[in-house]
Coordinates of all heavy atoms in Angstrom, one line a residue:
M49 N -0.6 -23.6 -22.5 CA 0.7 -23.5 -23.2 C 1.1 -22.0 -23.3 O 0.3 -21.2 -23.8 CB 0.5 -24.2 -24.5 CG 1.7 -24.1 -25.4 SD 1.4 -24.9 -26.9 CE 3.0 -25.4 -27.3
T50 N 2.3 -21.7 -22.9 CA 2.8 -20.4 -23.1 C 3.6 -20.3 -24.3 O 4.3 -21.2 -24.7 CB 3.7 -20.0 -21.9 OG1 4.0 -21.1 -21.1 CG2 3.1 -18.9 -21.1
H51 N 3.6 -19.1 -24.9 CA 4.4 -18.8 -26.1 C 5.5 -17.9 -25.7 O 5.4 -17.0 -24.9 CB 3.5 -18.2 -27.2 CG 2.3 -19.0 -27.6 ND1 2.5 -20.1 -28.3 CD2 1.0 -19.0 -27.2 CE1 1.3 -20.7 -28.5 NE2 0.4 -20.0 -27.8
S52 N 6.7 -18.1 -26.3 CA 7.9 -17.3 -26.0 C 7.7 -15.8 -26.3 O 8.4 -15.0 -25.8 CB 9.1 -17.9 -26.7 OG 8.9 -17.8 -28.1
N53 N 6.8 -15.5 -27.2 CA 6.6 -14.1 -27.5 C 5.5 -13.4 -26.6 O 5.2 -12.2 -26.8 CB 6.3 -13.9 -29.0 CG 5.0 -14.6 -29.4 OD1 4.4 -15.3 -28.6 ND2 4.5 -14.3 -30.6
T54 N 5.0 -14.1 -25.7 CA 4.0 -13.6 -24.8 C 4.7 -12.7 -23.8 O 5.7 -13.1 -23.2 CB 3.2 -14.7 -24.0 OG1 2.6 -15.5 -25.0 CG2 2.2 -14.1 -23.1
L55 N 4.2 -11.5 -23.6 CA 4.8 -10.5 -22.6 C 4.3 -10.9 -21.2 O 3.2 -11.2 -21.0 CB 4.4 -9.1 -23.0 CG 5.0 -8.6 -24.3 CD1 4.6 -7.1 -24.5 CD2 6.5 -8.6 -24.2
R56 N 5.3 -10.9 -20.3 CA 5.0 -11.2 -18.9 C 5.6 -10.0 -18.1 O 6.5 -9.3 -18.5 CB 5.7 -12.4 -18.5 CG 5.3 -13.7 -19.2 CD 4.0 -14.1 -18.8 NE 3.6 -15.4 -19.5 CZ 2.4 -15.7 -19.9 NH1 1.5 -14.8 -19.7 NH2 2.2 -16.8 -20.5
Q57 N 5.0 -9.8 -16.9 CA 5.3 -8.7 -16.1 C 6.4 -9.0 -15.1 O 6.4 -10.0 -14.4 CB 4.1 -8.2 -15.3 CG 4.3 -6.9 -14.5 CD 3.0 -6.5 -13.8 OE1 2.3 -7.4 -13.3 NE2 2.7 -5.2 -13.8
Q58 N 7.4 -8.1 -15.0 CA 8.4 -8.1 -13.9 C 8.0 -7.0 -13.0 O 7.7 -5.9 -13.5 CB 9.8 -8.0 -14.4 CG 10.3 -9.2 -15.2 CD 11.7 -9.0 -15.7 OE1 12.1 -7.9 -16.1 NE2 12.4 -10.1 -15.8
V59 N 8.1 -7.2 -11.7 CA 7.7 -6.1 -10.7 C 8.9 -5.9 -9.8 O 9.6 -6.8 -9.4 CB 6.5 -6.5 -9.9 CG1 6.2 -5.5 -8.8 CG2 5.3 -6.7 -10.8
L60 N 9.2 -4.6 -9.6 CA 10.3 -4.1 -8.7 C 9.6 -3.2 -7.7 O 9.0 -2.2 -8.1 CB 11.3 -3.4 -9.5 CG 12.5 -2.7 -8.7 CD1 13.3 -3.7 -8.0 CD2 13.3 -1.9 -9.7
V61 N 9.8 -3.5 -6.4 CA 9.3 -2.7 -5.4 C 10.5 -2.0 -4.7 O 11.4 -2.7 -4.2 CB 8.5 -3.5 -4.3 CG1 7.9 -2.6 -3.3 CG2 7.4 -4.3 -5.0
L62 N 10.5 -0.7 -4.7 CA 11.6 0.0 -4.1 C 11.0 0.8 -2.9 O 10.0 1.5 -3.1 CB 12.3 1.0 -5.0 CG 13.0 0.4 -6.2 CD1 13.6 1.4 -7.1 CD2 14.1 -0.6 -5.8
Y63 N 11.7 0.8 -1.8 CA 11.3 1.6 -0.6 C 12.4 2.7 -0.5 O 13.6 2.3 -0.4 CB 11.3 0.8 0.7 CG 10.3 -0.3 0.7 CD1 10.6 -1.6 0.2 CD2 9.0 -0.1 1.1 CE1 9.6 -2.6 0.1 CE2 8.0 -1.1 1.1 CZ 8.4 -2.3 0.6 OH 7.4 -3.3 0.5
L64 N 12.0 3.9 -0.6 CA 13.0 5.0 -0.7 C 13.0 5.7 0.7 O 12.1 5.6 1.5 CB 12.6 6.0 -1.8 CG 12.4 5.4 -3.2 CD1 12.1 6.5 -4.2 CD2 13.7 4.6 -3.6
D65 N 14.1 6.4 0.9 CA 14.4 7.2 2.1 C 13.3 8.3 2.4 O 13.0 8.5 3.5 CB 15.8 7.8 2.1 CG 16.3 8.1 3.4 OD1 16.0 7.5 4.4 OD2 17.1 9.1 3.5
T66 N 12.9 8.9 1.3 CA 11.8 9.9 1.4 C 10.8 9.7 0.2 O 11.0 8.7 -0.5 CB 12.4 11.3 1.2 OG1 12.8 11.5 -0.2 CG2 13.6 11.6 2.1
S67 N 9.9 10.6 0.1 CA 8.9 10.4 -0.9 C 9.4 10.9 -2.3 O 8.7 10.7 -3.3 CB 7.6 11.2 -0.6 OG 7.9 12.6 -0.5
A68 N 10.6 11.4 -2.4 CA 11.1 11.9 -3.7 C 11.8 10.7 -4.4 O 12.5 9.9 -3.9 CB 12.2 12.9 -3.4
L69 N 11.5 10.6 -5.7 CA 12.0 9.5 -6.5 C 13.5 9.5 -6.7 O 14.1 8.5 -7.0 CB 11.4 9.5 -7.9 CG 10.1 8.8 -8.1 CD1 9.5 9.0 -9.5 CD2 10.2 7.3 -7.8
D70 N 14.1 10.6 -6.4 CA 15.6 10.7 -6.5 C 16.3 10.5 -5.1 O 17.5 10.6 -5.0 CB 16.1 12.0 -7.1 CG 15.6 13.2 -6.3 OD1 14.9 13.1 -5.3 OD2 16.1 14.3 -6.7
S71 N 15.5 10.0 -4.1 CA 16.1 9.7 -2.8 C 16.7 8.2 -2.8 O 16.3 7.4 -3.7 CB 15.1 9.9 -1.7 OG 14.0 9.0 -1.8
R72 N 17.4 7.9 -1.8 CA 18.2 6.7 -1.7 C 17.2 5.5 -1.5 O 16.3 5.6 -0.7 CB 19.1 6.8 -0.5 CG 20.0 5.7 -0.2 CD 21.0 6.0 0.9 NE 20.3 6.3 2.2 CZ 20.0 5.4 3.1 NH1 20.5 4.2 3.0 NH2 19.4 5.7 4.2
V73 N 17.5 4.3 -2.1 CA 16.8 3.1 -1.9 C 17.2 2.5 -0.6 O 18.4 2.3 -0.3 CB 17.0 2.1 -3.0 CG1 16.4 0.7 -2.7 CG2 16.5 2.6 -4.4
V74 N 16.3 2.2 0.3 CA 16.6 1.6 1.6 C 16.0 0.2 1.7 O 16.4 -0.6 2.7 CB 16.0 2.5 2.8 CG1 16.7 3.8 2.8 CG2 14.5 2.6 2.7
G75 N 15.2 -0.3 0.8 CA 14.7 -1.6 0.8 C 14.1 -1.9 -0.6 O 13.8 -1.0 -1.3
W76 N 14.0 -3.2 -0.9 CA 13.6 -3.6 -2.2 C 13.1 -5.1 -2.3 O 13.4 -5.9 -1.4 CB 14.7 -3.4 -3.3 CG 15.9 -4.3 -3.0 CD1 16.1 -5.5 -3.5 CD2 17.0 -4.0 -2.2 NE1 17.3 -6.0 -3.1 CE2 17.9 -5.1 -2.2 CE3 17.3 -2.9 -1.3 CZ2 19.0 -5.1 -1.5 CZ3 18.5 -2.9 -0.6 CH2 19.3 -4.0 -0.7
A77 N 12.3 -5.4 -3.3 CA 11.8 -6.7 -3.6 C 11.6 -6.8 -5.1 O 11.3 -5.8 -5.7 CB 10.5 -7.0 -2.8
R78 N 11.9 -8.0 -5.6 CA 11.7 -8.2 -7.0 C 10.8 -9.4 -7.2 O 10.8 -10.4 -6.5 CB 13.0 -8.6 -7.7 CG 14.0 -7.4 -7.8 CD 15.2 -7.9 -8.6 NE 16.3 -7.0 -8.5 CZ 17.2 -6.9 -9.4 NH1 17.2 -7.6 -10.5 NH2 18.2 -6.0 -9.2
Y79 N 10.0 -9.4 -8.3 CA 9.1 -10.5 -8.7 C 9.2 -10.6 -10.2 O 9.2 -9.7 -10.9 CB 7.7 -10.2 -8.3 CG 7.6 -10.0 -6.8 CD1 7.6 -8.7 -6.3 CD2 7.5 -11.0 -5.9 CE1 7.6 -8.4 -4.9 CE2 7.5 -10.8 -4.5 CZ 7.5 -9.5 -4.0 OH 7.5 -9.2 -2.7
D80 N 9.4 -11.9 -10.7 CA 9.6 -12.1 -12.1 C 8.5 -13.0 -12.7 O 8.6 -14.2 -12.5 CB 11.0 -12.6 -12.4 CG 11.4 -12.7 -13.8 OD1 10.5 -12.4 -14.7 OD2 12.5 -13.0 -14.1
G81 N 7.6 -12.5 -13.4 CA 6.5 -13.3 -14.0 C 7.0 -13.9 -15.3 O 6.2 -14.7 -15.9
T82 N 8.2 -13.6 -15.8 CA 8.7 -14.3 -17.0 C 9.1 -15.7 -16.7 O 9.2 -16.5 -17.7 CB 9.8 -13.5 -17.6 OG1 11.0 -13.6 -16.8 CG2 9.5 -12.0 -17.9
G83 N 9.5 -16.0 -15.5 CA 10.0 -17.3 -15.2 C 11.5 -17.5 -15.5 O 12.1 -18.5 -15.2
T84 N 12.2 -16.4 -15.9 CA 13.6 -16.6 -16.3 C 14.5 -16.4 -15.0 O 15.6 -16.9 -15.0 CB 14.0 -15.5 -17.3 OG1 13.7 -14.2 -16.9 CG2 13.3 -15.8 -18.6
T85 N 14.0 -15.7 -14.0 CA 14.8 -15.6 -12.8 C 13.8 -15.9 -11.6 O 12.6 -15.9 -11.7 CB 15.4 -14.2 -12.5 OG1 14.3 -13.3 -12.4 CG2 16.3 -13.8 -13.7
R86 N 14.4 -16.3 -10.5 CA 13.6 -16.6 -9.3 C 14.2 -15.8 -8.1 O 14.8 -16.4 -7.2 CB 13.6 -18.0 -9.0 CG 13.2 -18.9 -10.2 CD 12.3 -20.0 -9.8 NE 11.9 -20.9 -10.8 CZ 11.3 -20.6 -12.0 NH1 11.0 -19.4 -12.2 NH2 10.9 -21.6 -12.8
P87 N 14.0 -14.5 -8.1 CA 14.6 -13.7 -7.0 C 13.9 -14.0 -5.6 O 12.7 -14.4 -5.6 CB 14.2 -12.2 -7.4 CG 13.1 -12.3 -8.4 CD 13.2 -13.7 -9.0
T88 N 14.7 -13.9 -4.6 CA 14.1 -14.2 -3.2 C 14.6 -13.1 -2.3 O 15.5 -12.4 -2.6 CB 14.7 -15.5 -2.7 OG1 16.1 -15.5 -2.6 CG2 14.3 -16.7 -3.5
T89 N 13.9 -13.0 -1.2 CA 14.2 -12.0 -0.2 C 15.6 -12.2 0.3 O 16.0 -13.3 0.7 CB 13.2 -12.0 1.0 OG1 11.9 -11.9 0.4 CG2 13.4 -11.0 2.0
G90 N 16.3 -11.1 0.4 CA 17.7 -11.2 1.0 C 18.7 -11.8 0.0 O 19.8 -12.2 0.5
D91 N 18.4 -11.9 -1.3 CA 19.4 -12.5 -2.2 C 20.5 -11.5 -2.6 O 21.3 -11.9 -3.4 CB 18.7 -13.1 -3.4 CG 18.0 -12.2 -4.3 OD1 17.9 -10.9 -4.0 OD2 17.4 -12.6 -5.3
S92 N 20.5 -10.3 -2.1 CA 21.5 -9.3 -2.5 C 21.7 -8.3 -1.3 O 20.7 -7.9 -0.7 CB 21.1 -8.6 -3.7 OG 21.9 -7.5 -4.0
D93 N 22.9 -8.0 -1.1 CA 23.2 -7.0 -0.1 C 23.1 -5.5 -0.6 O 23.1 -4.6 0.1 CB 24.6 -7.2 0.5 CG 24.7 -8.4 1.4 OD1 23.6 -8.9 1.9 OD2 25.8 -9.0 1.5
E94 N 23.2 -5.4 -1.9 CA 23.2 -4.1 -2.6 C 21.8 -3.9 -3.3 O 21.3 -4.9 -3.9 CB 24.3 -4.0 -3.6 CG 25.7 -4.1 -3.0 CD 26.0 -2.9 -2.1 OE1 25.6 -1.8 -2.5 OE2 26.6 -3.1 -1.0
P95 N 21.2 -2.7 -3.2 CA 20.0 -2.5 -3.9 C 20.2 -2.6 -5.4 O 21.3 -2.3 -5.9 CB 19.6 -1.1 -3.5 CG 20.8 -0.4 -3.0 CD 21.7 -1.5 -2.5
P96 N 19.2 -2.9 -6.2 CA 19.3 -3.0 -7.6 C 19.5 -1.7 -8.3 O 20.1 -1.6 -9.4 CB 18.0 -3.6 -8.1 CG 17.0 -3.3 -7.0 CD 17.8 -3.3 -5.7
Y97 N 19.1 -0.6 -7.6 CA 19.3 0.8 -8.1 C 19.6 1.7 -6.9 O 19.1 1.4 -5.8 CB 18.1 1.3 -8.8 CG 17.8 0.5 -10.1 CD1 16.9 -0.6 -10.0 CD2 18.5 0.7 -11.2 CE1 16.6 -1.3 -11.2 CE2 18.3 -0.1 -12.4 CZ 17.4 -1.1 -12.3 OH 17.1 -1.9 -13.4
E98 N 20.3 2.7 -7.1 CA 20.6 3.7 -6.0 C 19.3 4.5 -5.7 O 19.1 4.9 -4.5 CB 21.7 4.6 -6.4 CG 23.1 3.9 -6.5 CD 23.5 3.3 -5.2 OE1 23.4 4.0 -4.1 OE2 24.0 2.2 -5.1
T99 N 18.5 4.9 -6.7 CA 17.3 5.7 -6.5 C 16.2 5.2 -7.4 O 16.4 4.3 -8.3 CB 17.6 7.2 -7.0 OG1 17.9 7.2 -8.4 CG2 18.8 7.8 -6.2
G100 N 15.0 5.7 -7.2 CA 13.9 5.4 -8.1 C 14.1 5.9 -9.5 O 13.7 5.3 -10.5
V101 N 14.7 7.1 -9.6 CA 15.0 7.7 -10.9 C 16.0 6.8 -11.7 O 15.8 6.6 -12.9 CB 15.6 9.1 -10.8 CG1 16.1 9.6 -12.1 CG2 14.6 10.1 -10.2
A102 N 16.9 6.2 -11.1 CA 17.8 5.2 -11.7 C 17.1 4.1 -12.3 O 17.4 3.6 -13.4 CB 18.9 4.7 -10.8
A103 N 16.0 3.6 -11.7 CA 15.2 2.5 -12.2 C 14.4 3.0 -13.4 O 14.3 2.3 -14.4 CB 14.2 2.0 -11.1
L104 N 13.9 4.2 -13.4 CA 13.2 4.8 -14.5 C 14.2 4.9 -15.7 O 13.8 4.5 -16.9 CB 12.7 6.2 -14.2 CG 11.5 6.2 -13.2 CD1 11.2 7.7 -12.9 CD2 10.3 5.5 -13.8
R105 N 15.4 5.3 -15.5 CA 16.4 5.4 -16.6 C 16.7 4.1 -17.2 O 17.1 4.0 -18.4 CB 17.6 6.1 -16.1 CG 17.5 7.5 -15.8 CD 18.8 8.2 -15.4 NE 18.5 9.6 -15.1 CZ 19.0 10.2 -14.0 NH1 19.8 9.6 -13.2 NH2 18.8 11.5 -13.8
D106 N 16.6 3.0 -16.4 CA 16.9 1.7 -16.9 C 15.6 1.0 -17.6 O 15.7 -0.2 -17.9 CB 17.4 0.8 -15.8 CG 18.1 -0.5 -16.3 OD1 18.7 -0.4 -17.3 OD2 17.9 -1.5 -15.6
G107 N 14.6 1.7 -17.7 CA 13.4 1.2 -18.5 C 12.3 0.7 -17.6 O 11.3 0.3 -18.1
W108 N 12.4 0.8 -16.3 CA 11.3 0.4 -15.4 C 10.2 1.5 -15.5 O 10.5 2.6 -15.5 CB 11.7 0.2 -14.0 CG 12.6 -1.0 -13.8 CD1 13.9 -1.1 -13.9 CD2 12.1 -2.3 -13.5 NE1 14.3 -2.4 -13.7 CE2 13.2 -3.2 -13.4 CE3 10.9 -2.9 -13.3 CZ2 13.2 -4.5 -13.2 CZ3 10.8 -4.3 -13.0 CH2 11.9 -5.1 -13.0
R109 N 8.9 1.1 -15.5 CA 7.8 2.0 -15.5 C 7.2 2.1 -14.2 O 6.8 1.1 -13.6 CB 6.8 1.6 -16.6 CG 7.4 1.4 -17.9 CD 6.4 1.0 -19.0 NE 5.3 0.1 -18.6 CZ 4.3 -0.2 -19.3 NH1 4.2 0.3 -20.6 NH2 3.3 -1.0 -18.9
L110 N 7.1 3.3 -13.6 CA 6.5 3.5 -12.3 C 5.0 3.4 -12.5 O 4.4 4.0 -13.3 CB 6.8 4.9 -11.8 CG 6.2 5.3 -10.5 CD1 6.7 4.4 -9.3 CD2 6.5 6.7 -10.2
F111 N 4.3 2.5 -11.7 CA 2.9 2.4 -11.8 C 2.1 2.6 -10.4 O 0.9 2.7 -10.4 CB 2.4 1.1 -12.5 CG 2.6 -0.1 -11.7 CD1 1.6 -0.6 -10.9 CD2 3.8 -0.9 -11.8 CE1 1.8 -1.8 -10.2 CE2 4.0 -2.1 -11.2 CZ 2.9 -2.6 -10.4
Q112 N 2.9 2.7 -9.4 CA 2.2 3.1 -8.1 C 3.2 3.6 -7.1 O 4.3 3.2 -7.0 CB 1.6 1.8 -7.5 CG 0.8 2.1 -6.2 CD 0.2 0.9 -5.6 OE1 -0.2 0.0 -6.3 NE2 0.0 0.8 -4.3
A113 N 2.8 4.7 -6.4 CA 3.6 5.3 -5.4 C 2.7 5.3 -4.1 O 1.5 5.4 -4.2 CB 4.0 6.7 -5.7
A114 N 3.4 5.2 -3.0 CA 2.6 5.3 -1.7 C 2.0 6.6 -1.5 O 2.5 7.6 -1.8 CB 3.6 5.0 -0.5
Q115 N 0.8 6.5 -0.9 CA 0.1 7.7 -0.5 C 0.8 8.4 0.6 O 1.3 7.7 1.5 CB -1.3 7.4 0.0 CG -2.2 8.6 0.4 CD -3.5 8.1 0.9 OE1 -3.8 6.9 0.9 NE2 -4.4 9.1 1.2
L116 N 1.0 9.7 0.6 CA 1.7 10.4 1.6 C 0.7 10.7 2.8 O -0.3 11.5 2.6 CB 2.2 11.7 1.1 CG 3.3 11.6 0.0 CD1 3.8 13.0 -0.5 CD2 4.5 10.8 0.6
V117 N 0.9 10.1 3.9 CA 0.1 10.2 5.0 C 0.9 10.8 6.2 O 1.9 10.2 6.5 CB -0.5 8.9 5.5 CG1 -1.4 9.0 6.7 CG2 -1.3 8.2 4.3
P118 N 0.5 11.9 6.7 CA 1.3 12.5 7.8 C 1.2 11.6 9.1 O 0.2 10.9 9.3 CB 0.7 13.8 8.1 CG -0.7 13.7 7.6 CD -0.7 12.7 6.4
P119 N 2.3 11.6 9.9 CA 2.2 10.8 11.1 C 1.2 11.3 12.1 O 0.9 12.5 12.1 CB 3.6 10.9 11.7 CG 4.2 12.1 11.1 CD 3.5 12.3 9.8
Y120 N 0.6 10.4 12.8 CA -0.4 10.7 13.9 C 0.4 11.6 14.9 O 1.5 11.3 15.3 CB -1.0 9.5 14.5 CG -2.1 9.7 15.4 CD1 -3.4 10.0 14.9 CD2 -1.9 9.7 16.8 CE1 -4.4 10.3 15.8 CE2 -2.9 10.0 17.7 CZ -4.2 10.2 17.2 OH -5.2 10.5 18.0
P121 N -0.2 12.7 15.4 CA 0.4 13.5 16.4 C 1.0 12.7 17.6 O 0.3 11.9 18.1 CB -0.6 14.5 16.8 CG -1.6 14.6 15.6 CD -1.6 13.2 15.1
G122 N 2.2 12.9 17.8 CA 2.9 12.2 19.0 C 3.7 11.0 18.5 O 4.4 10.4 19.3
T123 N 3.5 10.6 17.3 CA 4.2 9.4 16.8 C 5.3 9.7 15.7 O 5.8 8.8 15.0 CB 3.2 8.4 16.2 OG1 2.6 9.0 15.0 CG2 2.2 7.9 17.2
E124 N 5.6 11.0 15.6 CA 6.5 11.4 14.6 C 7.9 10.7 14.6 O 8.6 10.6 13.6 CB 6.8 13.0 14.6 CG 5.5 13.8 14.4 CD 4.7 14.1 15.6 OE1 5.0 13.5 16.7 OE2 3.8 14.9 15.6
H125 N 8.3 10.3 15.8 CA 9.7 9.7 15.9 C 9.7 8.2 16.2 O 10.7 7.7 16.6 CB 10.5 10.5 17.0 CG 10.6 12.0 16.7 ND1 11.3 12.5 15.6 CD2 10.0 13.1 17.2 CE1 11.2 13.8 15.6 NE2 10.4 14.2 16.5
E126 N 8.5 7.6 16.0 CA 8.4 6.1 16.3 C 8.8 5.4 15.0 O 8.6 5.8 13.9 CB 7.0 5.8 16.7 CG 6.7 6.3 18.1 CD 5.3 5.8 18.5 OE1 4.8 4.9 18.0 OE2 4.8 6.4 19.5
T127 N 9.4 4.2 15.2 CA 9.8 3.3 14.1 C 8.5 2.5 13.7 O 7.8 2.1 14.5 CB 10.9 2.4 14.5 OG1 12.0 3.2 15.0 CG2 11.3 1.5 13.4
S128 N 8.4 2.4 12.4 CA 7.2 1.7 11.8 C 7.6 1.0 10.5 O 8.8 0.8 10.2 CB 6.0 2.6 11.7 OG 4.9 2.0 11.3
F129 N 6.6 0.8 9.7 CA 6.9 0.2 8.3 C 7.6 1.2 7.4 O 7.6 2.4 7.7 CB 5.5 -0.3 7.7 CG 4.5 0.9 7.5 CD1 4.5 1.6 6.3 CD2 3.7 1.2 8.6 CE1 3.6 2.6 6.2 CE2 2.8 2.3 8.4 CZ 2.7 2.9 7.2
L130 N 8.1 0.7 6.3 CA 8.7 1.6 5.3 C 7.6 2.2 4.5 O 6.9 1.5 3.8 CB 9.7 0.8 4.4 CG 10.9 0.1 5.2 CD1 11.6 -0.8 4.2 CD2 11.8 1.2 5.8
K131 N 7.4 3.5 4.6 CA 6.3 4.1 4.0 C 6.4 4.7 2.6 O 5.4 5.1 2.0 CB 5.7 5.2 5.0 CG 6.7 6.3 5.3 CD 6.1 7.2 6.4 CE 7.2 8.2 6.9 NZ 6.7 9.0 7.9
H132 N 7.6 4.8 2.1 CA 7.8 5.4 0.8 C 8.0 4.3 -0.2 O 9.2 4.1 -0.6 CB 9.0 6.4 0.8 CG 8.8 7.5 1.9 ND1 7.8 8.4 1.8 CD2 9.5 7.8 3.0 CE1 7.8 9.2 2.9 NE2 8.9 8.9 3.6
E133 N 6.9 3.6 -0.6 CA 7.0 2.4 -1.4 C 6.6 2.8 -2.8 O 5.5 3.4 -3.0 CB 6.0 1.4 -0.8 CG 5.9 0.1 -1.5 CD 4.9 -0.7 -0.8 OE1 3.7 -0.4 -0.7 OE2 5.3 -1.8 -0.3
F134 N 7.4 2.3 -3.8 CA 7.1 2.6 -5.2 C 7.2 1.3 -5.9 O 8.1 0.5 -5.8 CB 8.2 3.5 -5.8 CG 8.2 4.9 -5.1 CD1 8.8 5.2 -3.9 CD2 7.5 5.9 -5.8 CE1 8.8 6.5 -3.4 CE2 7.5 7.2 -5.3 CZ 8.1 7.5 -4.0
F135 N 6.2 1.1 -6.8 CA 6.1 -0.1 -7.6 C 6.4 0.2 -9.1 O 5.9 1.1 -9.6 CB 4.7 -0.7 -7.6 CG 4.4 -1.5 -6.3 CD1 4.0 -0.8 -5.2 CD2 4.4 -2.9 -6.3 CE1 3.7 -1.5 -4.0 CE2 4.2 -3.6 -5.1 CZ 3.8 -2.9 -4.0
F136 N 7.3 -0.6 -9.6 CA 7.8 -0.4 -11.0 C 7.5 -1.7 -11.8 O 7.4 -2.8 -11.2 CB 9.3 -0.1 -11.1 CG 9.7 1.1 -10.4 CD1 9.9 1.2 -9.0 CD2 9.9 2.3 -11.1 CE1 10.3 2.3 -8.4 CE2 10.3 3.4 -10.5 CZ 10.5 3.5 -9.2
E137 N 7.4 -1.6 -13.1 CA 7.2 -2.8 -13.9 C 8.0 -2.7 -15.2 O 8.3 -1.7 -15.7 CB 5.7 -3.1 -14.2 CG 5.2 -2.1 -15.3 CD 3.9 -2.5 -15.9 OE1 3.4 -3.6 -15.6 OE2 3.4 -1.7 -16.7
K138 N 8.3 -3.9 -15.7 CA 8.9 -4.1 -17.0 C 8.1 -5.2 -17.7 O 7.7 -6.1 -17.0 CB 10.3 -4.5 -17.0 CG 11.3 -3.4 -17.0 CD 12.7 -3.9 -17.2 CE 13.7 -2.8 -17.2 NZ 15.1 -3.3 -17.3
L139 N 7.8 -5.1 -19.0 CA 7.2 -6.2 -19.7 C 8.3 -6.8 -20.6 O 8.9 -6.2 -21.3 CB 6.1 -5.6 -20.6 CG 4.9 -5.0 -19.8 CD1 3.9 -4.4 -20.8 CD2 4.3 -6.0 -18.9
E140 N 8.4 -8.1 -20.3 CA 9.5 -8.9 -21.1 C 8.9 -10.2 -21.6 O 7.8 -10.6 -21.2 CB 10.6 -9.3 -20.1 CG 11.3 -8.1 -19.4 CD 12.3 -7.4 -20.3 OE1 12.6 -7.9 -21.3 OE2 12.7 -6.3 -19.9
K141 N 9.5 -10.8 -22.6 CA 9.1 -12.0 -23.1 C 9.2 -13.1 -22.1 O 10.2 -13.2 -21.4 CB 9.8 -12.4 -24.4 CG 9.5 -11.5 -25.6 CD 10.2 -11.9 -26.8 CE 9.8 -11.0 -27.9 NZ 10.4 -11.3 -29.2
G142 N 8.2 -14.0 -22.0 CA 8.2 -15.1 -21.0 C 8.8 -16.4 -21.6 O 9.1 -16.4 -22.8
E143 N 8.8 -17.4 -20.7 CA 9.4 -18.7 -21.2 C 8.4 -19.4 -22.1 O 7.2 -19.3 -21.9 CB 9.7 -19.5 -20.0 CG 10.9 -19.1 -19.2 CD 11.2 -20.0 -18.0 OE1 10.3 -20.7 -17.5 OE2 12.4 -20.0 -17.7

């Protein structure tokens, strides 16, 4: 049985243009452990925030940033995964 005053975690994953928190958001995902919303991939054409700093200003707490790994020599201009990944959380009351 869950209690309405129990804190649950909301997670926001932002992929930024560079490793700087004030750079532009290029990809994102949301997860809501409170059960109040059910976000899905592709449910918005606009990012929830313009930058990582904007998420911080809105109360999200940064708890993980991607390790900065230099590209392997010769692969500097190849397309790959989004490497500037930042995880944020908020604690909210659950259902």
Side-chain angles (χ1 to χ4, degrees):
M49 175 179 208
T50 13
H51 301 285
S52 61
N53 62 349
T54 302
L55 293 178
R56 301 284 183 217
Q57 186 180 40
Q58 292 180 325
V59 176
L60 173 64
V61 183
L62 296 180
Y63 298 90
L64 304 181
D65 199 31
T66 72
S67 62
L69 273 175
D70 59 355
S71 65
R72 180 177 64 94
V73 173
V74 296
W76 62 93
R78 291 184 193 208
Y79 303 94
D80 189 352
T82 68
T84 57
T85 65
R86 305 218 185 306
T88 61
T89 303
D91 63 359
S92 173
D93 291 335
E94 295 294 321
Y97 298 97
E98 293 295 318
T99 66
V101 172
L104 291 174
R105 287 184 183 135
D106 195 33
W108 289 91
R109 301 180 331 170
L110 177 65
F111 69 92
Q112 182 178 331
Q115 180 181 4
L116 295 179
V117 180
Y120 188 77
T123 63
E124 296 89 348
H125 302 290
E126 290 184 16
T127 303
S128 184
F129 59 92
L130 298 172
K131 58 187 171 184
H132 304 297
E133 179 180 63
F134 295 83
F135 283 81
F136 297 83
E137 75 166 354
K138 271 189 181 179
L139 297 176
E140 302 283 347
K141 289 185 179 179
E143 290 184 334

